[in-house]
Amino acid sequence: MAGTAEAPTTNRIGLQKKDYAGSKSTLCIGCGHDLITARLIDAAFDNSIKPEEIVKLSGIGCSSKTPAYFVSRSFSFNSVHGRMPSVATGTALANRNLKIIGVSGDGDTANIGMGQFVHVMRRNLNMVYIVENNGVYGLTKGQFSATADKGSKLKHGQVNHMHAIDLCALAVELGCRFVARLFAGNTKMMRQVLQAALAYKGTALLDIISPCVTFNNHEGSTKSFPWMKSNELALQDIGFVPAYDPHYEEMGHGEERVVKLGDGSKITIKALDKDYDPSNRAGALQLLAEHHESGKVPTGVIYLAEEAPRFTDHLGMVDVPLSSLKEDTLRPSKAVLDEVMDSLA
Amino acid sequence: MATAQAAEPETRTIVNDLVLHVATANGSGSQTSNMVLLRTLFQMGIPVSGKNLFPSNIQGLPTWFTIRANGKGWIARKQDADIVVCMNPDTSDEDAAAARKGAILIYEETLNLADKRPDCVHYAVPFKKLIAEACPDVRLRKLVINMLYVGVCAQLFDFDMEEVRKAISTQLAGKQKAIDLNVPAVEYGYKWAAENLKKADPYRVERMDANKGKIIIEGNAATALGLMFGGVTVVTWYPITPSSSLCEYLEDYLNKYRIKDGKRTFAVVQAEDEIAAVGMLAGAGWAGARAFTSTSGPGISLMNEIIGLGYFAEIPFVICNVARTGPSTGLPTRTMQGDVLSLFYASHGDTKHIVVIPNTPKEAFEMAGEALDLAEEFQTPVFILSDLDLGMNFWMSERFEYPTKPFKRGKVLDKEALDKLNGQWGRYRDVDGDGIPYRTYPGTPHPKAAYFTRGTGHTPDATYSEKPEDWKNNMDRLARKFETAKTRVPKPEIVNNGHAAGLIYFGTTTEAIREALAELDDRHGLKLDQCRLRAFPFTQEVEDFIHRHERVYVVELNRDGQMRMALGAELPRLAGKLRSVLHYDGMPLTAENVVSQIVEFERK
Ligand SMILES: Cc1ncc(C[n+]2csc(CCOP(=O)(O)OP(=O)(O)O)c2C)c(N)n1
Ligand code: SF4
Ligand SMILES: [Mg+2]
């Protein structure tokens, strides 16, 4: 797969892994969220991302705390519960050149934040939207969230009788062009998809099943490590070939699908189970619906379309960030005021 | 044939002092006719105001437009109209019944109002018949029938027809077809009135010269202009009356005047709701934009959580509240000063906000730019407190002055500044002792530029902290910052002549207060000093003003005396001197109401 056999001590922009570190995690030991954090550090390092060119935004929850635990050299905004998407949108308006990593939880997204999630999926910001999905509210001690599967049980036996919200299906439906479901325990797939999502110019929604070891890792939970280990259905073997990788010309042969990104990098997708076609929207929705019945959890790239113009491209803005504009550009001349005043006299 | 029937023949004449009230149906195109009447009076140099009383509906429900023209410059709302034009058959009985004794009624002949109000002056006009003659095309009649009353009024009250024609051209700027349709209709009405109506009332207007160099504008357009010249870059909004037209004007102006090499130097985004609108401001302000949204009371309620985040995480953005009557959906198309407390102390926990309070379009223009400055200077949400009366009604105004002061972008460290500091800085350190910290914009290319923004407890270096002393120190610094703001916000406008009683007011009550003060003096021999509040926090001048007076009336448009409560809360030792003069029926204030309440107080 990708040509990064051994991680070099410095990446292409001369930074070391430690330059992508964050402060020490305060989450429970074994929490799935920490696994995601670790892979984010890897992916940012591997992609040689300049820390000042990304911003990390989050809502509220254990998951939303994690931006403190990776890439401290990047700006970060831990905002309010369920509203990260709007804060991210505003950030993109002020500075269209920033790459946004949005981190949220299933409660933060599928419950309180559902309205904002739905609308941000329609926008296509330059953002990786990560839902660290454990089926419960970790931070408020284990209540069900809206992604809990029908029939799944809480620690003390309460059963969820409502239909689960499938964020991947919603994202596909709403026009998101890069949609993946991942399992925090599947380190390799997560790392490759994170790298691809970071390189992708547009919104990538990553719904990552990330078990809460404290409140939702018991028998009867469908978001536990054991459940996922036996029910994950990896759809594909995913590879990411960065633009600078000297080997990439040799990649992408055989039955692999290769998706080329604007920056020259490539995502390689090799179907494992059957020939699942991630470029087919209707097929993606069908796959997700089928597996709600089977109980299996398909992971991999559910849907991937070519990069398309982003929200900020449609606004007709100047190329430089609005935040960099100064008075000489922002205040029209006196003649303009005179013209307006004359029209009102 | 219609004739005028007066109770008694009229011998007086009343020049340049009239209130003209037009009743029509919403969506009938009467706005153009009413604006033509308003503009004509304005062009004739007579001080004038126009207030639209409209329903929360698009078509069919009754709507009223009131014009007050007054040579002495009294243009506040008045309780009773002198002239009532009844164009809406659904409300004509009520409109006639509500008219004061001796009022002049102009109406469609077939409505037969003469029997119902024998104490009024009647001009019955066969509008339907006339429009059939004046406008051969049946389909267009509905569009121009309202122009007939413009002609009738022009003839009866001596409007200058040349000015009427000019007003039509201005109002329908560039739409020649519409002009060619409307002008003849007005002329037809004028001619008919001249030939068929016998003048039986004392009202007439005469050219004067009070409006030189003035403009007519709605407050929302003025605020929009202020924001454009103030360098706004990110605008988000969710439609709500009476604020929608502000962002619509703003978008139009920006599209016209803020394009560089064919590209926009701004972004305007319609958000999915007010929570998202203000969330976008939080992101944009954080990332270095001059960010703005406008809304009304219900939107403010929704925005509260993120307003608190903005206060605590110290993020600049500006919200204009064009207030309407609440609580709840309330009276969405009526005015109120009912969001004083919900702005001053918006959100949970210890919060206080900078609020600027314009009273005229000119001030709305100036304060919009000032609000953008204050937000960035103090790194905090700043509010503009407007209301429906200012925002959506038509006001004469001085021309706006071109702003020449440079933008105040606040304490921002760029790459060079960070280099000089060797990257040694802390986001929430009070380096200058004024409570205002330094910040960096996301994207600043320096390894030490970044910091972690959060709504949770933090240290001066922006790290997480739950320590009691860190919390308290930070809250004390925010209080210090608010103290600093007292020296920078717009100062009150004070008239002090050493009287025992004082009067505090703010915003759109200004015109009614001016008139009331003159009347209190002329008719009742009561003299009061005045203080017009222009901002929160209250500055030292406000405290001194209350201190110097024995008793102080606080005039406001709400039931509970919210501004009085805020004054009492901020200046507790002086609270006992404050008395509320209130008005809260959804309508703009009248001088009559202020006079009667104050006279009653003063008699006690
Ligand atoms: C407005 C508001 N309501 C409620 C809360 C309390 N609260 C904090 S986190 C949370 C749920 C978080 O769940 P999730 O997003 O799934 O994150 P997890 O902790 O599971 O990672 C709730 C309800 C809050 N912070 N703000
Ligand atoms: S409560 Fe659950 S989600 Fe939160 S840190 Fe602990 S394990 Fe993770
Ligand atoms: Mg959760």
Side-chain angles (χ1 to χ4, degrees), chain B residues 14 17-21 66-69 78-85 99-106 120-121 157 201-203:
Chain B
I14 300 174
D17 183 12
L18 59 81
V19 176
L20 176 80
H21 193 63
T66 300
I67 292 169
R68 184 171 182 192
K78 244 181 118 179
Q79 188 60 45
D80 292 316
D82 305 307
I83 302 154
V84 183
V85 181
R100 70 160 165 81
K101 194 168 174 304
I104 296 142
L105 303 180
I106 299 171
C120 288
V121 178
F157 310 114
D201 72 83
Y203 291 95

PDB file of all heavy atoms in Angstrom, chain B residues 14 17-21 66-69 78-85 99-106 120-121 157 201-203:
ATOM      1  N   ILE B  14     -54.994  76.122   8.948  1.00  0.00           N
ATOM      2  CA  ILE B  14     -53.894  75.546   9.718  1.00  0.00           C
ATOM      3  C   ILE B  14     -52.819  75.177   8.707  1.00  0.00           C
ATOM      4  O   ILE B  14     -53.055  74.342   7.834  1.00  0.00           O
ATOM      5  CB  ILE B  14     -54.355  74.304  10.502  1.00  0.00           C
ATOM      6  CG1 ILE B  14     -55.476  74.706  11.484  1.00  0.00           C
ATOM      7  CG2 ILE B  14     -53.192  73.661  11.237  1.00  0.00           C
ATOM      8  CD1 ILE B  14     -56.109  73.532  12.198  1.00  0.00           C
ATOM      9  N   ASP B  17     -49.172  71.757   9.616  1.00  0.00           N
ATOM     10  CA  ASP B  17     -49.349  71.035  10.868  1.00  0.00           C
ATOM     11  C   ASP B  17     -50.475  70.030  10.664  1.00  0.00           C
ATOM     12  O   ASP B  17     -51.639  70.337  10.908  1.00  0.00           O
ATOM     13  CB  ASP B  17     -49.686  72.022  12.002  1.00  0.00           C
ATOM     14  CG  ASP B  17     -49.811  71.302  13.336  1.00  0.00           C
ATOM     15  OD1 ASP B  17     -49.424  70.105  13.410  1.00  0.00           O
ATOM     16  OD2 ASP B  17     -50.300  71.915  14.302  1.00  0.00           O
ATOM     17  N   LEU B  18     -50.122  68.868  10.189  1.00  0.00           N
ATOM     18  CA  LEU B  18     -51.171  67.878   9.961  1.00  0.00           C
ATOM     19  C   LEU B  18     -50.667  66.455  10.193  1.00  0.00           C
ATOM     20  O   LEU B  18     -49.483  66.163  10.057  1.00  0.00           O
ATOM     21  CB  LEU B  18     -51.752  68.009   8.549  1.00  0.00           C
ATOM     22  CG  LEU B  18     -50.848  67.870   7.332  1.00  0.00           C
ATOM     23  CD1 LEU B  18     -50.582  66.403   6.977  1.00  0.00           C
ATOM     24  CD2 LEU B  18     -51.510  68.550   6.139  1.00  0.00           C
ATOM     25  N   VAL B  19     -51.627  65.617  10.581  1.00  0.00           N
ATOM     26  CA  VAL B  19     -51.355  64.188  10.674  1.00  0.00           C
ATOM     27  C   VAL B  19     -52.297  63.487   9.706  1.00  0.00           C
ATOM     28  O   VAL B  19     -53.515  63.604   9.823  1.00  0.00           O
ATOM     29  CB  VAL B  19     -51.573  63.660  12.107  1.00  0.00           C
ATOM     30  CG1 VAL B  19     -51.370  62.139  12.137  1.00  0.00           C
ATOM     31  CG2 VAL B  19     -50.629  64.344  13.074  1.00  0.00           C
ATOM     32  N   LEU B  20     -51.704  62.818   8.744  1.00  0.00           N
ATOM     33  CA  LEU B  20     -52.473  62.176   7.685  1.00  0.00           C
ATOM     34  C   LEU B  20     -52.337  60.666   7.852  1.00  0.00           C
ATOM     35  O   LEU B  20     -51.234  60.123   7.880  1.00  0.00           O
ATOM     36  CB  LEU B  20     -51.907  62.608   6.337  1.00  0.00           C
ATOM     37  CG  LEU B  20     -52.503  61.991   5.090  1.00  0.00           C
ATOM     38  CD1 LEU B  20     -53.805  62.682   4.745  1.00  0.00           C
ATOM     39  CD2 LEU B  20     -51.548  62.117   3.920  1.00  0.00           C
ATOM     40  N   HIS B  21     -53.479  60.004   7.959  1.00  0.00           N
ATOM     41  CA  HIS B  21     -53.493  58.574   8.268  1.00  0.00           C
ATOM     42  C   HIS B  21     -54.158  57.861   7.102  1.00  0.00           C
ATOM     43  O   HIS B  21     -55.298  58.169   6.760  1.00  0.00           O
ATOM     44  CB  HIS B  21     -54.324  58.431   9.548  1.00  0.00           C
ATOM     45  CG  HIS B  21     -54.229  57.106  10.208  1.00  0.00           C
ATOM     46  ND1 HIS B  21     -53.064  56.602  10.712  1.00  0.00           N
ATOM     47  CD2 HIS B  21     -55.184  56.179  10.472  1.00  0.00           C
ATOM     48  CE1 HIS B  21     -53.304  55.421  11.267  1.00  0.00           C
ATOM     49  NE2 HIS B  21     -54.578  55.142  11.127  1.00  0.00           N
ATOM     50  N   THR B  66     -48.965  56.487   8.578  1.00  0.00           N
ATOM     51  CA  THR B  66     -49.246  57.792   9.178  1.00  0.00           C
ATOM     52  C   THR B  66     -48.131  58.771   8.856  1.00  0.00           C
ATOM     53  O   THR B  66     -46.961  58.482   9.106  1.00  0.00           O
ATOM     54  CB  THR B  66     -49.373  57.662  10.710  1.00  0.00           C
ATOM     55  OG1 THR B  66     -50.432  56.759  10.988  1.00  0.00           O
ATOM     56  CG2 THR B  66     -49.692  59.007  11.332  1.00  0.00           C
ATOM     57  N   ILE B  67     -48.528  59.888   8.301  1.00  0.00           N
ATOM     58  CA  ILE B  67     -47.562  60.934   7.979  1.00  0.00           C
ATOM     59  C   ILE B  67     -47.822  62.107   8.901  1.00  0.00           C
ATOM     60  O   ILE B  67     -48.962  62.550   9.044  1.00  0.00           O
ATOM     61  CB  ILE B  67     -47.737  61.379   6.509  1.00  0.00           C
ATOM     62  CG1 ILE B  67     -47.315  60.235   5.578  1.00  0.00           C
ATOM     63  CG2 ILE B  67     -46.946  62.649   6.215  1.00  0.00           C
ATOM     64  CD1 ILE B  67     -47.677  60.460   4.127  1.00  0.00           C
ATOM     65  N   ARG B  68     -46.776  62.581   9.522  1.00  0.00           N
ATOM     66  CA  ARG B  68     -46.939  63.813  10.293  1.00  0.00           C
ATOM     67  C   ARG B  68     -46.031  64.863   9.702  1.00  0.00           C
ATOM     68  O   ARG B  68     -44.820  64.672   9.587  1.00  0.00           O
ATOM     69  CB  ARG B  68     -46.590  63.589  11.767  1.00  0.00           C
ATOM     70  CG  ARG B  68     -46.845  64.849  12.587  1.00  0.00           C
ATOM     71  CD  ARG B  68     -46.720  64.616  14.075  1.00  0.00           C
ATOM     72  NE  ARG B  68     -47.016  65.844  14.812  1.00  0.00           N
ATOM     73  CZ  ARG B  68     -46.771  66.019  16.096  1.00  0.00           C
ATOM     74  NH1 ARG B  68     -46.239  65.036  16.799  1.00  0.00           N
ATOM     75  NH2 ARG B  68     -47.061  67.168  16.690  1.00  0.00           N
ATOM     76  N   ALA B  69     -46.638  65.985   9.318  1.00  0.00           N
ATOM     77  CA  ALA B  69     -45.856  67.112   8.805  1.00  0.00           C
ATOM     78  C   ALA B  69     -46.061  68.261   9.766  1.00  0.00           C
ATOM     79  O   ALA B  69     -47.199  68.553  10.156  1.00  0.00           O
ATOM     80  CB  ALA B  69     -46.321  67.491   7.407  1.00  0.00           C
ATOM     81  N   LYS B  78     -48.441  60.988  16.769  1.00  0.00           N
ATOM     82  CA  LYS B  78     -49.481  61.664  17.541  1.00  0.00           C
ATOM     83  C   LYS B  78     -50.641  60.703  17.699  1.00  0.00           C
ATOM     84  O   LYS B  78     -50.884  59.881  16.817  1.00  0.00           O
ATOM     85  CB  LYS B  78     -49.942  62.924  16.804  1.00  0.00           C
ATOM     86  CG  LYS B  78     -49.646  64.208  17.555  1.00  0.00           C
ATOM     87  CD  LYS B  78     -50.144  65.404  16.805  1.00  0.00           C
ATOM     88  CE  LYS B  78     -51.194  66.137  17.611  1.00  0.00           C
ATOM     89  NZ  LYS B  78     -51.677  67.320  16.889  1.00  0.00           N
ATOM     90  N   GLN B  79     -51.348  60.806  18.797  1.00  0.00           N
ATOM     91  CA  GLN B  79     -52.439  59.874  19.048  1.00  0.00           C
ATOM     92  C   GLN B  79     -53.498  59.965  17.948  1.00  0.00           C
ATOM     93  O   GLN B  79     -53.914  58.955  17.395  1.00  0.00           O
ATOM     94  CB  GLN B  79     -53.058  60.170  20.418  1.00  0.00           C
ATOM     95  CG  GLN B  79     -54.063  59.152  20.866  1.00  0.00           C
ATOM     96  CD  GLN B  79     -53.451  57.739  20.972  1.00  0.00           C
ATOM     97  OE1 GLN B  79     -52.365  57.544  21.510  1.00  0.00           O
ATOM     98  NE2 GLN B  79     -54.146  56.754  20.411  1.00  0.00           N
ATOM     99  N   ASP B  80     -53.943  61.161  17.613  1.00  0.00           N
ATOM    100  CA  ASP B  80     -55.065  61.303  16.682  1.00  0.00           C
ATOM    101  C   ASP B  80     -54.633  61.905  15.357  1.00  0.00           C
ATOM    102  O   ASP B  80     -53.835  62.834  15.302  1.00  0.00           O
ATOM    103  CB  ASP B  80     -56.136  62.214  17.293  1.00  0.00           C
ATOM    104  CG  ASP B  80     -56.795  61.543  18.478  1.00  0.00           C
ATOM    105  OD1 ASP B  80     -57.112  60.344  18.373  1.00  0.00           O
ATOM    106  OD2 ASP B  80     -56.956  62.218  19.517  1.00  0.00           O
ATOM    107  N   ALA B  81     -55.238  61.376  14.299  1.00  0.00           N
ATOM    108  CA  ALA B  81     -54.965  61.917  12.978  1.00  0.00           C
ATOM    109  C   ALA B  81     -55.936  63.057  12.679  1.00  0.00           C
ATOM    110  O   ALA B  81     -57.062  63.089  13.180  1.00  0.00           O
ATOM    111  CB  ALA B  81     -55.113  60.825  11.937  1.00  0.00           C
ATOM    112  N   ASP B  82     -55.490  64.002  11.849  1.00  0.00           N
ATOM    113  CA  ASP B  82     -56.365  65.082  11.399  1.00  0.00           C
ATOM    114  C   ASP B  82     -57.117  64.663  10.146  1.00  0.00           C
ATOM    115  O   ASP B  82     -58.257  65.058   9.930  1.00  0.00           O
ATOM    116  CB  ASP B  82     -55.526  66.331  11.104  1.00  0.00           C
ATOM    117  CG  ASP B  82     -54.681  66.731  12.299  1.00  0.00           C
ATOM    118  OD1 ASP B  82     -55.253  66.876  13.401  1.00  0.00           O
ATOM    119  OD2 ASP B  82     -53.452  66.853  12.140  1.00  0.00           O
ATOM    120  N   ILE B  83     -56.442  63.895   9.326  1.00  0.00           N
ATOM    121  CA  ILE B  83     -57.023  63.487   8.048  1.00  0.00           C
ATOM    122  C   ILE B  83     -56.935  61.965   7.957  1.00  0.00           C
ATOM    123  O   ILE B  83     -55.863  61.390   8.179  1.00  0.00           O
ATOM    124  CB  ILE B  83     -56.224  64.098   6.880  1.00  0.00           C
ATOM    125  CG1 ILE B  83     -56.209  65.624   6.998  1.00  0.00           C
ATOM    126  CG2 ILE B  83     -56.784  63.635   5.533  1.00  0.00           C
ATOM    127  CD1 ILE B  83     -55.002  66.271   6.344  1.00  0.00           C
ATOM    128  N   VAL B  84     -58.043  61.311   7.668  1.00  0.00           N
ATOM    129  CA  VAL B  84     -58.028  59.862   7.552  1.00  0.00           C
ATOM    130  C   VAL B  84     -58.494  59.482   6.149  1.00  0.00           C
ATOM    131  O   VAL B  84     -59.585  59.855   5.725  1.00  0.00           O
ATOM    132  CB  VAL B  84     -58.952  59.195   8.594  1.00  0.00           C
ATOM    133  CG1 VAL B  84     -58.857  57.677   8.512  1.00  0.00           C
ATOM    134  CG2 VAL B  84     -58.604  59.677   9.991  1.00  0.00           C
ATOM    135  N   VAL B  85     -57.622  58.762   5.428  1.00  0.00           N
ATOM    136  CA  VAL B  85     -57.987  58.290   4.094  1.00  0.00           C
ATOM    137  C   VAL B  85     -58.387  56.826   4.222  1.00  0.00           C
ATOM    138  O   VAL B  85     -57.573  55.980   4.588  1.00  0.00           O
ATOM    139  CB  VAL B  85     -56.796  58.428   3.116  1.00  0.00           C
ATOM    140  CG1 VAL B  85     -57.198  57.951   1.717  1.00  0.00           C
ATOM    141  CG2 VAL B  85     -56.298  59.868   3.070  1.00  0.00           C
ATOM    142  N   ALA B  99     -61.653  57.931  14.324  1.00  0.00           N
ATOM    143  CA  ALA B  99     -61.204  59.299  14.029  1.00  0.00           C
ATOM    144  C   ALA B  99     -61.641  60.245  15.146  1.00  0.00           C
ATOM    145  O   ALA B  99     -62.688  60.060  15.770  1.00  0.00           O
ATOM    146  CB  ALA B  99     -61.776  59.743  12.698  1.00  0.00           C
ATOM    147  N   ARG B 100     -60.825  61.242  15.359  1.00  0.00           N
ATOM    148  CA  ARG B 100     -61.194  62.209  16.406  1.00  0.00           C
ATOM    149  C   ARG B 100     -62.357  63.054  15.911  1.00  0.00           C
ATOM    150  O   ARG B 100     -62.614  63.138  14.709  1.00  0.00           O
ATOM    151  CB  ARG B 100     -59.991  63.068  16.770  1.00  0.00           C
ATOM    152  CG  ARG B 100     -59.578  64.043  15.667  1.00  0.00           C
ATOM    153  CD  ARG B 100     -58.728  65.172  16.247  1.00  0.00           C
ATOM    154  NE  ARG B 100     -58.036  65.920  15.198  1.00  0.00           N
ATOM    155  CZ  ARG B 100     -58.595  66.876  14.467  1.00  0.00           C
ATOM    156  NH1 ARG B 100     -59.876  67.204  14.636  1.00  0.00           N
ATOM    157  NH2 ARG B 100     -57.888  67.515  13.554  1.00  0.00           N
ATOM    158  N   LYS B 101     -63.007  63.731  16.845  1.00  0.00           N
ATOM    159  CA  LYS B 101     -64.090  64.635  16.487  1.00  0.00           C
ATOM    160  C   LYS B 101     -63.531  65.711  15.548  1.00  0.00           C
ATOM    161  O   LYS B 101     -62.448  66.237  15.777  1.00  0.00           O
ATOM    162  CB  LYS B 101     -64.590  65.290  17.771  1.00  0.00           C
ATOM    163  CG  LYS B 101     -65.900  65.999  17.649  1.00  0.00           C
ATOM    164  CD  LYS B 101     -66.410  66.341  19.064  1.00  0.00           C
ATOM    165  CE  LYS B 101     -67.665  67.186  19.033  1.00  0.00           C
ATOM    166  NZ  LYS B 101     -67.572  68.447  18.276  1.00  0.00           N
ATOM    167  N   GLY B 102     -64.275  65.977  14.492  1.00  0.00           N
ATOM    168  CA  GLY B 102     -63.850  67.034  13.576  1.00  0.00           C
ATOM    169  C   GLY B 102     -62.793  66.624  12.572  1.00  0.00           C
ATOM    170  O   GLY B 102     -62.355  67.434  11.757  1.00  0.00           O
ATOM    171  N   ALA B 103     -62.368  65.346  12.601  1.00  0.00           N
ATOM    172  CA  ALA B 103     -61.351  64.896  11.648  1.00  0.00           C
ATOM    173  C   ALA B 103     -61.906  64.918  10.229  1.00  0.00           C
ATOM    174  O   ALA B 103     -63.119  64.967  10.019  1.00  0.00           O
ATOM    175  CB  ALA B 103     -60.890  63.485  12.000  1.00  0.00           C
ATOM    176  N   ILE B 104     -60.990  64.882   9.282  1.00  0.00           N
ATOM    177  CA  ILE B 104     -61.383  64.901   7.885  1.00  0.00           C
ATOM    178  C   ILE B 104     -61.343  63.480   7.344  1.00  0.00           C
ATOM    179  O   ILE B 104     -60.325  62.805   7.472  1.00  0.00           O
ATOM    180  CB  ILE B 104     -60.406  65.786   7.093  1.00  0.00           C
ATOM    181  CG1 ILE B 104     -60.536  67.214   7.609  1.00  0.00           C
ATOM    182  CG2 ILE B 104     -60.655  65.691   5.601  1.00  0.00           C
ATOM    183  CD1 ILE B 104     -59.229  67.915   7.674  1.00  0.00           C
ATOM    184  N   LEU B 105     -62.457  63.037   6.768  1.00  0.00           N
ATOM    185  CA  LEU B 105     -62.497  61.681   6.230  1.00  0.00           C
ATOM    186  C   LEU B 105     -62.552  61.738   4.705  1.00  0.00           C
ATOM    187  O   LEU B 105     -63.410  62.399   4.129  1.00  0.00           O
ATOM    188  CB  LEU B 105     -63.727  60.930   6.751  1.00  0.00           C
ATOM    189  CG  LEU B 105     -63.863  60.821   8.278  1.00  0.00           C
ATOM    190  CD1 LEU B 105     -65.132  60.035   8.642  1.00  0.00           C
ATOM    191  CD2 LEU B 105     -62.648  60.144   8.899  1.00  0.00           C
ATOM    192  N   ILE B 106     -61.620  61.036   4.097  1.00  0.00           N
ATOM    193  CA  ILE B 106     -61.616  60.918   2.637  1.00  0.00           C
ATOM    194  C   ILE B 106     -61.870  59.447   2.336  1.00  0.00           C
ATOM    195  O   ILE B 106     -61.142  58.585   2.853  1.00  0.00           O
ATOM    196  CB  ILE B 106     -60.256  61.356   2.060  1.00  0.00           C
ATOM    197  CG1 ILE B 106     -59.996  62.818   2.409  1.00  0.00           C
ATOM    198  CG2 ILE B 106     -60.212  61.141   0.550  1.00  0.00           C
ATOM    199  CD1 ILE B 106     -58.593  63.300   2.076  1.00  0.00           C
ATOM    200  N   CYS B 120     -67.694  64.773  11.585  1.00  0.00           N
ATOM    201  CA  CYS B 120     -66.438  64.903  10.842  1.00  0.00           C
ATOM    202  C   CYS B 120     -66.650  65.663   9.533  1.00  0.00           C
ATOM    203  O   CYS B 120     -67.775  65.874   9.098  1.00  0.00           O
ATOM    204  CB  CYS B 120     -65.868  63.519  10.531  1.00  0.00           C
ATOM    205  SG  CYS B 120     -65.211  62.704  11.987  1.00  0.00           S
ATOM    206  N   VAL B 121     -65.549  66.027   8.922  1.00  0.00           N
ATOM    207  CA  VAL B 121     -65.602  66.645   7.590  1.00  0.00           C
ATOM    208  C   VAL B 121     -65.497  65.526   6.558  1.00  0.00           C
ATOM    209  O   VAL B 121     -64.656  64.639   6.704  1.00  0.00           O
ATOM    210  CB  VAL B 121     -64.424  67.627   7.407  1.00  0.00           C
ATOM    211  CG1 VAL B 121     -64.453  68.238   6.000  1.00  0.00           C
ATOM    212  CG2 VAL B 121     -64.459  68.698   8.475  1.00  0.00           C
ATOM    213  N   PHE B 157     -54.997  69.803  -0.051  1.00  0.00           N
ATOM    214  CA  PHE B 157     -54.111  70.396   0.951  1.00  0.00           C
ATOM    215  C   PHE B 157     -52.954  71.180   0.354  1.00  0.00           C
ATOM    216  O   PHE B 157     -51.972  71.464   1.021  1.00  0.00           O
ATOM    217  CB  PHE B 157     -53.621  69.289   1.900  1.00  0.00           C
ATOM    218  CG  PHE B 157     -54.742  68.451   2.445  1.00  0.00           C
ATOM    219  CD1 PHE B 157     -54.859  67.105   2.114  1.00  0.00           C
ATOM    220  CD2 PHE B 157     -55.728  69.031   3.249  1.00  0.00           C
ATOM    221  CE1 PHE B 157     -55.916  66.342   2.578  1.00  0.00           C
ATOM    222  CE2 PHE B 157     -56.795  68.269   3.718  1.00  0.00           C
ATOM    223  CZ  PHE B 157     -56.900  66.922   3.379  1.00  0.00           C
ATOM    224  N   ASP B 201     -62.181  72.277   5.048  1.00  0.00           N
ATOM    225  CA  ASP B 201     -61.331  72.030   6.218  1.00  0.00           C
ATOM    226  C   ASP B 201     -60.218  73.067   6.238  1.00  0.00           C
ATOM    227  O   ASP B 201     -59.963  73.713   5.222  1.00  0.00           O
ATOM    228  CB  ASP B 201     -60.746  70.615   6.135  1.00  0.00           C
ATOM    229  CG  ASP B 201     -59.687  70.526   5.067  1.00  0.00           C
ATOM    230  OD1 ASP B 201     -58.531  70.903   5.355  1.00  0.00           O
ATOM    231  OD2 ASP B 201     -60.002  70.118   3.926  1.00  0.00           O
ATOM    232  N   PRO B 202     -59.548  73.218   7.364  1.00  0.00           N
ATOM    233  CA  PRO B 202     -58.557  74.294   7.490  1.00  0.00           C
ATOM    234  C   PRO B 202     -57.136  73.912   7.109  1.00  0.00           C
ATOM    235  O   PRO B 202     -56.242  74.749   7.192  1.00  0.00           O
ATOM    236  CB  PRO B 202     -58.610  74.602   8.982  1.00  0.00           C
ATOM    237  CG  PRO B 202     -58.942  73.295   9.627  1.00  0.00           C
ATOM    238  CD  PRO B 202     -59.828  72.555   8.658  1.00  0.00           C
ATOM    239  N   TYR B 203     -56.889  72.669   6.717  1.00  0.00           N
ATOM    240  CA  TYR B 203     -55.508  72.221   6.577  1.00  0.00           C
ATOM    241  C   TYR B 203     -54.913  72.526   5.212  1.00  0.00           C
ATOM    242  O   TYR B 203     -55.518  72.269   4.188  1.00  0.00           O
ATOM    243  CB  TYR B 203     -55.418  70.707   6.839  1.00  0.00           C
ATOM    244  CG  TYR B 203     -55.663  70.384   8.275  1.00  0.00           C
ATOM    245  CD1 TYR B 203     -56.942  70.012   8.705  1.00  0.00           C
ATOM    246  CD2 TYR B 203     -54.650  70.501   9.213  1.00  0.00           C
ATOM    247  CE1 TYR B 203     -57.194  69.750  10.038  1.00  0.00           C
ATOM    248  CE2 TYR B 203     -54.886  70.238  10.539  1.00  0.00           C
ATOM    249  CZ  TYR B 203     -56.155  69.875  10.956  1.00  0.00           C
ATOM    250  OH  TYR B 203     -56.391  69.627  12.287  1.00  0.00           O
TER     251      TYR B 203
END
